[in-house]
Amino acid sequence: MGRWPVAAVVALVGGLLLTPARPAAVAAEAPARTHCTFTAAIALVPGLSVVPSSGTFSSGGETGTVACDGPVRGIVPTGPGTLGVEGRYGTKDPDTCFGGEGEGRFSFTFPTATGVGKRSNVFTFSFSLVGLSGSGFSGEGFGGGFDDVEPEDGDCVVHPVTKLVVKGHGTITSQ
């Protein structure tokens, strides 16, 4: 009887040592993150300059592009899609080219294995047309940044910027 408990313990310990360990990340099943990139031309009314203002912005429908590497709120895109944005800037106080904030709604449409997928959500943002430090956007379950913002109409000093092209990236952190 004295050998059975020792043999059982040795077999149990040996079995545990030889069984591959399951990584903690697999056991916890961390949520998958989807990364997206986008480009959109956006009109601003009345426009941004060195004189503070508040106004609206719009891409004029889904005229931009978006590409994601995974599910978007539960739907898996099979290719790039179209993106539209609209909203208001200068919502806390009037904005200039040197910085501001706002809120809006984006919508996009993309192909899926079963047809067309559509998603839409609200977001808040902060920006500076003079250096992108501190520029970005967020909403429920997602966030991101602006990689490049190029004025197309206006120069901020003599003429207000009334159209710009925004390129950026975002991550969906919860589906």
Side-chain angles (χ1 to χ4, degrees):
M1 184 143 175
R3 296 190 125 203
W4 271 105
V6 171
V9 169
V10 168
L12 180 63
V13 170
L16 290 175
L17 292 175
L18 296 175
T19 303
R22 187 173 169 160
V26 171
E29 290 301 328
R33 294 176 181 242
T34 297
H35 303 283
C36 302
T37 57
F38 63 88
T39 302
I42 300 170
L44 306 166
V45 176
L48 291 167
S49 70
V50 293
V51 177
S53 70
S54 296
T56 61
F57 65 89
S58 176
S59 61
E62 291 189 18
T63 57
T65 59
V66 62
C68 298
D69 67 2
V72 178
R73 303 286 187 193
I75 299 176
V76 179
T78 56
T82 58
L83 169 76
V85 297
E86 61 181 18
R88 301 176 314 140
Y89 64 90
T91 53
K92 292 182 182 174
D93 54 25
D95 297 346
T96 67
C97 289
F98 300 107
E101 80 300 315
E103 59 193 26
R105 173 173 287 282
F106 71 84
S107 59
F108 57 98
T109 303
F110 47 88
T112 73
T114 58
V116 175
K118 290 183 173 284
R119 287 294 183 251
S120 179
N121 213 329
V122 295
F123 64 96
T124 59
F125 64 94
S126 62
F127 70 92
S128 173
L129 299 184
V130 182
L132 296 175
S133 176
S135 295
F137 59 91
S138 65
E140 186 177 332
F142 66 92
F146 304 117
D147 300 324
D148 190 28
V149 178
E150 290 288 327
E152 281 206 339
D153 293 332
D155 60 14
C156 280
V157 179
V158 177
H159 303 287
V161 173
T162 57
K163 187 174 183 183
L164 42 85
V165 174
V166 178
K167 295 178 182 180
H169 67 279
T171 302
I172 300 170
T173 56
S174 68
Q175 296 289 334

